[in-house]
Amino acid sequence: MSLYRKRLKIVRGEGVYVWDSEGKRYMDLIAGIGVAVLGHNHPEWAEELSSQLKKLTVAGPMFNHEEKEEMLEELSKFVNFEYVYMGNSGTEAVEAALKFARLYTGRKEIIAMVNAFHGRTMGALSATWKPKYKKDFEPLVPGFRHIPFNDVEAAKEAITRETAAVIVEPIQGESGVIPAKEEFLKTLRDLTEDVGALLIVDEVQTGLRTGKFLAIEHYKIEPDIVTLGKGIGNGVPVSLTLTNFDVERGKHGSTFGGNPLACKAVAVTLRILRREKLIERAEKKFIKIEASDVVMTRGKGLMIGVVLRKPVGRYVEELQRRGYLVHTSGQRVIRMLPPLIISEEQMREVKSAIEGVINDISGRES
Ligand SMILES: *Cc1c(COP(=O)(O)O)cnc(C)c1O
């Protein structure tokens, strides 16, 4: 929605900054909704991707190529899964996860969370919560049900031998940067294991930016399937579905999935993140906003939600006027998914900019 925000025309980016068509500079704390993890126009990334364009961009999913090997090698330095399915967007990673879960268990029922967001294709949309996103597209895929997030008793009641999988975000992104409680995730892990169901952790938004490669690592829980997207290729459309079981060839597939350009993008992004320790360093970059009308700051590392007592529209607009681009979740949460290259000092600047805007607007009113 852009009711309250004048739609900017972005023409250029460099590092944590973008410029609009009038030459005005903004610090970009949205970064394509958590995509530009290395910032805009990262020189090494851009150079490697340009060379790749001149070398090989298509091979077809039936072939192997160096770039795929390079990507798997880089990925294995961060996570320990046996199989990777590659798609082109977060929603496709979720579709694959849901299909794999039904295939593997032979069961149909998928349990998702109230307030979840998993994407907008029919399967992922069925797992998504928000009625507004769904109602015009019904009937959706049968077999989905939603339980309240962080409700251990509801999970105990819902998970049975009929359950194929439970899908959960470690921190709910779209609905307001709401972290899962440790006890809740542990319950989901234990119960799914007991009944032979799978635990799918959707890390499309949380991946890379909470201080660990996967946010679920903070909880010391091992999921059966993980989905990654958004920042994993730093802007080349690519997503991953990680599993420990193989899926019979021909049961699922994609024309573009795993193309050399996408593989290269993931490989280079991960290599730079690892070399610069940008994932670990994200944890300390969290900022807590302290101002009147702020109920709390939620999230971890560089996934930050500022919950306000009032609708956030005016604050977001004023921040934009002062040169800071922030995103929202719903009516009352300012959301930030900054590039991981942002410095602690820049995050301190963001903190005072936001606190300044909130205090100025609230002060004017009282
Ligand atoms: C953004 C998001 C998706 C969907 O990704 P797309 O690339 O927009 O299809 C799925 N799950 C989560 C948790 C997300 O944040």
Side-chain angles (χ1 to χ4, degrees):
M1 283 231 300
S2 57
L3 274 180
Y4 44 75
R5 239 183 295 171
K6 189 173 138 233
R7 207 164 261 223
L8 284 185
K9 185 169 173 185
I10 308 278
V11 294
R12 178 168 80 82
E14 201 173 304
V16 299
Y17 297 104
V18 291
W19 282 261
D20 72 9
S21 47
E22 277 147 33
K24 179 170 170 178
R25 189 183 85 162
Y26 302 85
M27 192 184 272
D28 185 8
L29 305 161
I30 305 175
I33 317 189
V35 172
V37 288
L38 300 176
H40 299 281
N41 194 14
H42 187 282
E44 181 180 343
W45 183 88
E47 185 58 42
E48 293 249 18
L49 271 281
S50 325
S51 312
Q52 188 62 42
L53 284 173
K54 295 174 200 157
K55 183 191 169 210
L56 184 73
T57 52
V58 208
M62 62 292 285
F63 298 115
N64 238 339
H65 42 80
E66 276 180 353
E67 291 72 21
K68 196 177 278 176
E69 287 163 10
E70 190 185 338
M71 184 204 73
L72 293 173
E73 173 70 27
E74 279 300 333
L75 200 56
S76 70
K77 292 173 183 156
F78 288 103
V79 276
N80 191 14
F81 280 85
E82 273 181 64
Y83 298 95
V84 184
Y85 168 78
M86 294 185 74
N88 314 286
S89 62
T91 200
E92 282 173 80
V94 171
E95 290 294 328
L98 298 171
K99 286 177 74 178
F100 296 171
R102 282 187 171 175
L103 192 63
Y104 183 81
T105 61
R107 301 175 186 174
K108 296 183 172 46
E109 189 190 71
I110 310 283
I111 297 173
M113 304 300 141
V114 168
N115 285 323
F117 183 84
H118 298 293
R120 295 172 185 264
T121 49
M122 287 306 219
L125 187 59
S126 305
T128 289
W129 166 253
K130 214 181 203 178
K132 190 181 92 182
Y133 292 161
K134 294 161 68 163
K135 70 175 186 350
D136 297 319
F137 306 104
E138 287 165 354
L140 297 177
V141 179
F144 285 75
R145 57 179 292 196
H146 291 80
I147 60 169
F149 188 53
N150 279 332
D151 185 334
V152 169
E153 291 311 312
K156 285 184 183 160
E157 206 191 298
I159 299 168
T160 67
R161 296 198 172 272
E162 304 278 293
T163 311
V166 175
I167 181 164
V168 66
E169 297 155 87
I171 302 174
Q172 290 188 328
E174 295 297 316
S175 62
V177 191
I178 309 169
K181 297 207 169 89
E182 180 160 355
E183 189 199 358
F184 182 66
L185 290 179
K186 291 225 150 88
T187 304
L188 295 183
R189 177 65 288 181
D190 292 346
L191 294 177
T192 46
E193 202 159 339
D194 289 350
V195 301
L198 302 182
L199 180 63
I200 304 170
V201 174
D202 184 353
E203 298 253 10
V204 169
Q205 192 158 151
T206 48
L208 315 177
R209 60 176 55 256
T210 66
K212 306 253 188 217
F213 186 75
L214 301 177
I216 197 73
E217 292 172 48
H218 292 289
Y219 300 89
K220 304 202 167 47
I221 285 172
E222 288 184 17
D224 301 297
I225 305 182
V226 170
T227 54
L228 286 161
K230 292 199 164 82
I232 194 77
N234 192 47
V236 169
V238 53
S239 64
L240 309 177
T241 305
L242 312 177
T243 69
N244 281 318
F245 55 88
D246 200 2
V247 174
E248 194 187 320
R249 197 170 279 225
K251 290 275 185 191
H252 189 61
S254 158
T255 300
F256 293 129
N259 67 76
L261 186 69
C263 289
K264 190 70 181 183
V266 176
V268 174
T269 303
L270 293 182
R271 191 183 72 213
I272 297 171
L273 290 175
R274 186 166 51 82
R275 190 186 64 214
E276 315 282 334
K277 299 191 168 42
L278 288 168
I279 294 176
E280 302 91 291
R281 287 168 56 199
E283 194 156 358
K284 273 175 63 191
K285 294 176 184 170
F286 183 82
I287 47 170
K288 191 171 170 209
I289 305 298
E290 288 154 312
S292 55
D293 289 328
V294 174
V295 181
M296 65 170 111
T297 314
R298 292 192 292 230
K300 204 165 181 62
L302 289 173
M303 179 170 181
I304 305 171
V306 186
V307 186
L308 277 101
R309 247 180 281 281
K310 297 181 175 157
V312 296
R314 284 171 313 155
Y315 303 95
V316 171
E317 200 174 68
E318 181 58 18
L319 276 164
Q320 179 172 314
R321 212 183 57 77
R322 296 187 191 183
Y324 300 89
L325 301 181
V326 296
H327 199 29
T328 57
S329 301
Q331 296 292 313
R332 291 179 193 251
V333 182
I334 294 174
R335 181 165 44 137
M336 288 177 277
L337 299 163
L340 304 186
I341 54 154
I342 201 164
S343 67
E344 285 180 52
E345 193 187 334
Q346 284 167 320
M347 286 307 288
R348 282 193 292 274
E349 176 191 330
V350 172
K351 175 176 156 71
S352 50
I354 297 178
E355 289 173 352
V357 164
I358 295 174
N359 287 332
D360 286 354
I361 291 181
S362 301
R364 224 180 285 152
E365 282 171 350
S366 58

